[in-house]
Amino acid sequence: MARRTAVAWAALGPLLWGCALALQGGMLYPRESPSRQRKELDGLWSFRADFSHNRRRGFEEQWYRRPLRESGPTLDMPVPSSFNDISQDWRLWDFVGWVWYEREVILPERWTQDLSTRVVLRIGSAHAYAIVWVNGVDTLEHEGGYLPFEADISNLVQVGPLSSQLRITIAINNTLTPTTLPPGTIQYLTDTSKYPKGYFVQNVYFDFFNYAGLQRSVLLYTTPTACIDDITVTTGVEHDSGLVNYQISVKGSNLFELEVRLLDAENKLMANGTGTQGQLKVPGARLWWPYLMHERPAYLYSLEVRLTAQTSLGPVSDFYTLPVGIRTVNVTKSQFLINGKPFYFHGVNKHEDADIRGKGFDWPLLVKDFNLLRWLGANAFRTSHYPYAEEVLQMCDRYGIVVIDECPGVGLELPQFFNNVSLQNHMRVMEEVVRRDKNHPAVVMWSVANEPASHLESAGYYLKMVIAHTKALDPSRPVTFVTRSNYAADKGAPYVDVICVNSYYSWYNDFGHLELIQRQLTTQFENWYKTYQKPIIQSEYGAEAIVGFHQDPPLMFTEEYQKSLLEQYHVVLDQKRRKYVVGELIWNFADFMTEQSPTRVLGNKKGVFTRQRQPKSAAFLLRERYWKILTCNINSPETPNMIKGHE
């Protein structure tokens, strides 16, 4: 059955790829090559928050027209990082409004003098609305955090003797509104006996801190004026051969030739082609397998693309190399298949969150997290509740960690959030997510939302449209959203490929009654499966534990209670994973910061690791469980030998 499915997919692969909704413009990760250079602008930037009453002083005084230091006092602000935890100024911690960043840069002479060179400014993310000026010229605007945006600034840096001196100014507003993603509301508190005139607060409808700023790298990179704009790859398997379907777009010239080569990990040529689209066939292909599902997981090929183009300034060449993993993904009514074999998600939900840096990207933290994932025996995570940095997905490709890639569709709790403006914005965000992440073999499913109010009729139509749009963008992957609604009332569930359910039995209801979990969880699974006949993932479950709190018999917030609650869930998961439950993702990998409230003690403590990445008792329980699941995986005969090396 699995072999027939894989062959059928291979036959449909080029058809599906040809039917995908065309995206306008590419967002290739900036990689250096013989024709491309990059200059990272990480480090200290000048920073100033606009504390004025209307938060508009920076625009009224046009801070972008001259160096920011001339507008008033500035701070040193590290990039990437969230600005909230860096300063001792308490006003910045939960500041809402416009903040201003600035960096002065000296460009290499060739970048400013060679008119056949194209210079691009790229911002990895700016949460949540950003306006960018280069030397005082309005250059770029972008709505939405967590995703990259860029602009060709060649005409601003190739204009004269002073063009090598560059001043980049970025204004960022973290205000959330009913039409942003995630949404929020601004509440003005008008009782002047309690609050100053004009006092307001930002209301959010999600349980993590709304960190903001330049949280990922800012960089400049170059390409030739005629360049490779985008590459789309889908893969399949036909008998023992791998299939790599490619589509390439070019900008800057209509007179060009494309050469495509596929190299293995030892740089041996496996297949080659020409033109903007085609199919490469790889006899005896090594497939991309998840971590611990194969003795050599996460095998990556390199797709080398060479462009030769004619321009008004003469011939130019461009080179780009894209890592490619050959694998298939399919869903039946009771299984999730990778390369035709049943795959069971045993992993975590995460957050981009850590002390001081907030959501700022940090390589040491990322590598530590991946070492902990491998130690746990975890093979998957969901990017709860927003797309993570591109470098995270690159690590997943390299290590074989499977990803459910989620957009920032979190906090969709109020009826007014399901409006036409929000719908169009949500679909645009999904376009950006797919455009950025479509070529990662680790990404096996898109998630369009987390815990929306999917019992509402308006939510049903809204989710139907977003899911259909996502499927049109990428027909090669299943699509889901994560629900906490009742199975009988959920209006969005009919449109997903996999049911993802969050539940917190004996935590948010029936507090402390661990004896009820098995009954309630069994009922949950049976009701969902009977109604929809689709595979189910327990996409969140867990309990808070404050490290060092102990009590026996177990009481809430102790390490013993967290561990006991997980054990009760695991009894039922073991029964159902042999039938139609295809995954379990603990909430959460590590403790993380939230808004202040009487129910949160310095953030959410549901992590099996502390915010500093130290294990609680539950981490050892989870490790024992995940490695035990692997030994029971009859589809991986290599597993016992691999496990022996980790004991």
Side-chain angles (χ1 to χ4, degrees), residues 401-467:
I401 304 298
V402 168
V403 176
I404 300 172
D405 199 350
E406 189 163 271
C407 82
V410 60
L412 294 164
E413 293 191 357
L414 304 181
Q416 58 263 40
F417 294 164
F418 298 98
N419 59 73
N420 288 334
V421 175
S422 296
L423 176 59
Q424 293 302 314
N425 185 37
H426 202 142
M427 292 195 291
R428 176 188 60 78
V429 170
M430 288 311 305
E431 291 175 9
E432 293 187 25
V433 174
V434 172
R435 178 188 290 115
R436 193 196 74 166
D437 296 344
K438 60 188 174 183
N439 293 321
H440 289 284
V443 175
V444 300
M445 184 158 58
W446 306 112
S447 172
V448 302
N450 177 74
E451 296 185 351
S454 51
H455 62 282
L456 300 173
E457 290 291 342
S458 58
Y461 172 78
Y462 183 104
L463 291 166
K464 176 182 178 181
M465 296 301 293
V466 174
I467 291 169

Side-chain angles (χ1 to χ4, degrees), residues 138 144 180-181 222 243 245 355 381 411 451:
D138 190 343
T180 58
L181 209 64
T222 66
L243 303 178
N245 306 299
D355 288 332
F381 66 79
E451 296 185 351

Side-chain angles (χ1 to χ4, degrees), residues 9-23 232-235 244-248 276-279 471-476:
W9 193 99
L12 287 172
L15 179 63
L16 291 175
W17 147 69
C19 292
L21 186 65
L23 293 167
T232 302
V233 167
T234 59
T235 63
V244 178
N245 306 299
Y246 65 86
Q247 185 171 17
I248 303 167
T276 57
Q277 61 185 45
Q279 183 179 86
K471 286 178 173 289
L473 293 169
D474 177 18
S476 72

Side-chain angles (χ1 to χ4, degrees), residues 363 366-367 370 390-400:
W363 272 113
L366 177 61
V367 173
F370 270 78
E390 294 161 278
E391 293 83 356
V392 177
L393 297 185
Q394 291 166 12
M395 289 281 282
C396 291
D397 292 341
R398 292 178 55 204
Y399 284 90

